[in-house]
Amino acid sequence: MPQAPAGTLYRGREGMWSWVAHRVTGVLIFFFLFAHVLDTALVRVSPQAYNDVIGTYKNPVVGLGEAGLVAAVIFHAFNGVRLILVDFWSQGPRYQRQMLWAVVGLWVVVFAPFAVRHLMHVFS
């Protein structure tokens, strides 16, 4: 069996996992936006039905989902900037791994305070 030239096999390192996370967060954000447009459009059909639907969102499960949505948006935004740098900065591919760890660090710094405050409201 012929051997593949060195460097052509993707080994599943940080680049692959950031690619997967970027796609997953993008799909989750898309589905949230789809649901958001639908439930907001309901106000034109029946304001009472809209209020009923919004009322069902006031529970801890949805509160956890909101925290997950914010986590996805923050990661997707920071990783998107990293991808722009990888694509358009001549040194981007060289530093893509370090930039990913910077994205993770920024994500923790931005998301952790939000999560603490939001979850205090959700479970109080």
Side-chain angles (χ1 to χ4, degrees):
M1 182 183 313
Q3 291 278 348
T8 61
L9 294 176
Y10 199 72
R11 305 218 186 271
R13 300 199 41 138
E14 295 89 352
M16 183 193 79
W17 293 113
S18 69
W19 180 88
V20 169
H22 197 74
R23 270 51 180 190
V24 168
T25 57
V27 168
L28 292 174
I29 293 165
F30 171 79
F31 282 119
F32 164 76
L33 289 174
F34 182 72
H36 178 63
V37 167
L38 288 179
D39 67 17
T40 303
L42 191 58
V43 78
R44 303 245 323 134
V45 175
S46 167
Q48 183 57 41
Y50 172 78
N51 289 335
D52 292 342
V53 168
I54 296 303
T56 64
Y57 294 162
K58 296 177 181 176
N59 65 63
V61 173
V62 174
L64 289 172
E66 289 171 340
L69 174 66
V70 171
V73 168
I74 293 169
F75 176 80
H76 195 81
F78 287 153
N79 195 52
V81 172
R82 183 188 75 87
L83 291 173
I84 291 168
L85 289 172
V86 168
D87 286 345
F88 295 109
W89 178 37
S90 64
Q91 297 297 310
R94 171 187 262 175
Y95 294 109
Q96 68 91 16
R97 183 175 298 151
Q98 292 90 338
M99 288 189 293
L100 176 61
W101 290 115
V103 164
V104 170
L106 281 170
W107 179 82
V108 168
V109 166
V110 172
F111 179 67
F114 165 79
V116 169
R117 182 164 170 79
H118 178 70
L119 294 177
M120 283 184 351
H121 288 292
V122 167
F123 292 110
S124 64

